[in-house]
Amino acid sequence: MKLFSAIQIQTIDGCNLKCPWCPNSYRLQTGNLMDVALYQKIIDQLAELEYQGRVSPYLMNESLLDKRLLDLVAYTRKKLPKADIMITTNGTLMTREYLLELQQAGMSQVHVSCYTKALCDKIRGWEVQAVRLFSFFGSNIRGTRCWDNRGGNVDWGPRLSGPLEASCRHPFQQMYIDYQGRAILCCSDYHRQVTMGSAAEEALVKIWNNEKYSRYRKLLGQHRRDLLALCNKCNFK
């Protein structure tokens, strides 16, 4: 049975910044929350699988906008004691006190994508025991592979003359669930162009091993992005 090594779960559809390299700069954000029962259903399935990979209650959003985050992390840690629980945040809503609360709830890692040097310097002084805190100054990674065109949804990074002849690790390693329970292709699928299934209606394992996922993996393995929606405009590699 094939299984992903990481899963991202969008608990809220929204961000408090409008960065030009991100589709959230123009995309209508609903602010809608994932139903707690759905979140728990996903985590419960992972517990049944004795999952020990990475769980991120975060996807294409600002994770700290969800005021339920501490409770969601605590539930995840209770059900998945050996999992690596990680979020990414822009840090604008973070305080050291909240970071400590996240630690107590069971958080393993917090990645802060700082977009000002002042914020990055402040975050770096917040190391706390048992939480790996990583901070990145935005301008230092501009132009690297971290700054891709998000599946062609923004004009950023290397310009393409045509589809890349390359594979992609995302559909082989990670699963992505949006706030409605839709399993989408990857973290660049802001417009839900490629939906693999519904976690509200199907088992995660069944979705991960279905025919649509298999087709994407097969063609990506053959470097045929030209035949795949979203991938055919993406410059991530």
Side-chain angles (χ1 to χ4, degrees), residues 1 3-4 44-52 204-205:
M1 177 184 66
L3 193 62
F4 41 87
D44 290 348
Q45 286 187 58
L46 296 175
E48 290 175 4
L49 295 166
E50 298 182 345
Y51 181 77
Q52 298 182 29
L204 298 178
V205 171

Side-chain angles (χ1 to χ4, degrees), residues 56-88:
S56 294
Y58 149 81
L59 174 62
M60 304 183 301
N61 64 3
E62 170 45 50
S63 50
L64 300 192
L65 286 174
D66 190 342
K67 304 304 181 184
R68 311 165 304 170
L69 185 59
L70 290 172
D71 291 336
L72 298 178
V73 170
Y75 187 85
T76 305
R77 176 56 66 211
K78 177 181 177 181
K79 292 289 185 172
L80 302 171
K82 296 183 180 180
D84 184 20
I85 306 174
M86 185 272 281
I87 60 167
T88 295

